[in-house]
Amino acid sequence: MQPLNDYFALLNTMESGAGEVAIDRNHNMFIIGTLLSQKPDDVLELGIGTGYLTVSLIHALRYNGKGKLTCVDNWGDARGGDMEDVAGNLRMAGVNVVAPMEERTFLANSPDNAYDFLISDADHVNSGTWVDEHLRVVRPGGILFFHDTNNTVDYPNMALITQKVRELDLPHYHFTKSSRPDERCERGLLFVIKR
């Protein structure tokens, strides 16, 4: 139970310090709830950002008592922070951190069906153009999440992700609504199941 206690403590402290770049609390809880329920063996996170979701994933995997986490980041939006310290802390927690590396390059060099759970919050300018690579590395029946998919003013190519998922007729739901002033859910979270 301690990993979940640690996770709930993180929820209460991290959001305010994470600012506008981190995934919002609601979407974080949905991703973590899905991970806790699906019990994946191989989890891939593209884009570490503030580390808020990454640390949440660690707590959930510990609670499950199974699963490996690989995180890839090009450090392109490091905002001057010392990302090697972040990477070192994550490695000490058992995470396979691949950084700095372009997320697209990592996907291109990954085998088919290597992961059963993928979260992409990476390269908002270009990731919409390589959705096929995201899908290729996930096993059939696997789950994918794409963050900021409704922020098409700042990142117009993110709309290509939802478009591709619809074209492939994959089961999905696009979360885009906030109901409270302290939420940022309107930025979008696309939930996809690979067939």
Side-chain angles (χ1 to χ4, degrees):
M1 195 63 170
Q2 189 59 46
L4 285 186
N5 290 335
D6 294 341
Y7 170 65
F8 290 124
L10 175 69
L11 283 177
N12 289 325
T13 59
M14 186 66 169
E15 176 111 7
S16 59
E20 291 297 314
V21 289
I23 192 168
D24 56 90
R25 181 180 290 126
N26 299 3
H27 291 161
N28 180 304
M29 288 190 293
F30 180 58
I31 291 169
I32 297 307
T34 305
L35 187 142
L36 289 169
S37 298
Q38 189 202 25
K39 313 286 189 212
D41 292 317
D42 297 293
V43 178
L44 176 61
E45 180 187 28
L46 300 172
I48 297 170
T50 64
Y52 173 47
L53 181 60
T54 310
V55 174
S56 300
L57 293 166
I58 292 167
H59 293 315
L61 290 168
R62 285 180 180 162
Y63 181 82
N64 280 351
K66 64 176 287 194
K68 298 175 292 196
L69 176 59
T70 298
C71 296
V72 182
D73 201 303
N74 63 12
W75 294 154
D77 63 351
R79 295 173 173 72
D82 188 354
M83 297 312 289
E84 282 308 315
D85 286 345
V86 171
N89 291 336
L90 294 174
R91 286 183 183 109
M92 285 179 23
V95 176
N96 176 26
V97 178
V98 182
M101 175 176 268
E102 293 298 323
E103 296 91 353
R104 183 178 190 170
T105 302
F106 179 86
L107 286 177
N109 291 305
S110 295
D112 294 355
N113 305 318
Y115 301 94
D116 43 10
F117 200 96
L118 180 147
I119 308 102
S120 180
D121 198 5
D123 192 351
H124 289 17
V125 174
N126 299 302
S127 65
T129 64
W130 29 281
V131 179
D132 289 332
E133 288 296 304
H134 291 95
L135 293 167
R136 182 185 61 74
V137 302
V138 174
R139 296 176 186 122
I143 291 176
L144 299 92
F145 287 97
F146 297 92
H147 186 238
D148 280 334
T149 46
N150 200 43
N151 189 359
T152 56
V153 171
D154 295 329
Y155 308 111
N157 279 340
M158 294 301 283
L160 298 174
I161 298 170
T162 307
Q163 179 183 331
K164 182 69 171 184
V165 165
R166 286 183 180 142
E167 286 172 6
L168 294 172
D169 197 29
L170 295 173
H172 69 281
Y173 190 86
H174 199 193
F175 296 89
T176 60
K177 296 178 187 171
S178 292
S179 62
R180 300 166 39 109
D182 60 341
E183 296 175 338
R184 297 182 317 279
C185 299
E186 70 281 350
R187 290 166 44 189
L189 181 71
L190 182 65
F191 168 69
V192 181
I193 301 172
K194 180 179 174 184
R195 290 188 181 159

